[in-house]
Amino acid sequence: MSITALVTGKLIANPERRAGTGGKPFVLAKVIAHDGEADSLVSVIAFGSAAEQIGALTKGDALAINGRAKVSTWTGKDGAPRAGLSITADIVMTAYQLKRKRQAVAAAGDHAPPAPPLDAEGPGVAGDDWPAGGGR
């Protein structure tokens, strides 16, 4: 079983580039994620453009990963139960990409269409298009 998850954190080591038996390249990485109470180690595998993005990062870089997650359990050498999270990255967002996007928006300046006012009516704005009882 796998679930879709969004994990944010920092790389604890430089990503490791590898190739599968068929020559398909992929990247392995370890991310430390903080959930408000404790740090969790997340193992990441990425292919294609997600692998390129993660592969361009180095230890300590922040990133957000969306993908398919799996929880695994095992017994450690000391006999204590252990749990881990691994994620196959589908989408990756880095601080560098966010900075580039913000710069592009700022550069667009007056060329960008104005945002609708917060009290504007219309689908998806006023909430009238949602069924009673929520749904958001």
Side-chain angles (χ1 to χ4, degrees):
M1 178 179 92
S2 67
I3 57 173
T4 299
L6 174 64
V7 174
T8 60
K10 291 186 177 187
L11 291 172
I12 62 168
N14 288 336
E16 185 179 337
R17 294 174 186 265
R18 290 191 180 178
T21 54
K24 183 177 181 180
F26 64 94
V27 169
L28 299 175
K30 299 281 187 189
V31 174
I32 194 80
H34 187 72
D35 69 2
E37 296 179 18
D39 289 336
S40 299
L41 182 64
V42 179
S43 299
V44 178
I45 186 167
F47 302 92
S49 63
E52 292 173 20
Q53 290 173 292
I54 294 173
L57 302 175
T58 58
K59 178 181 178 180
D61 285 342
L63 71 163
I65 301 166
N66 180 277
R68 292 155 286 143
K70 280 189 174 183
V71 176
S72 55
T73 58
W74 67 94
T75 303
K77 291 180 182 178
D78 60 358
R82 305 274 189 229
L85 181 67
S86 60
I87 187 166
T88 301
D90 292 324
I91 300 171
V92 177
M93 177 63 107
T94 66
Y96 172 74
Q97 291 168 310
L98 185 59
K99 181 180 177 183
R100 272 194 349 204
K101 184 172 183 172
R102 286 181 178 162
Q103 288 172 339
V105 169
D110 295 331
H111 305 308
L118 293 177
D119 62 348
E121 294 295 324
V125 177
D128 293 338
D129 54 336
W130 289 94
R136 282 192 194 198

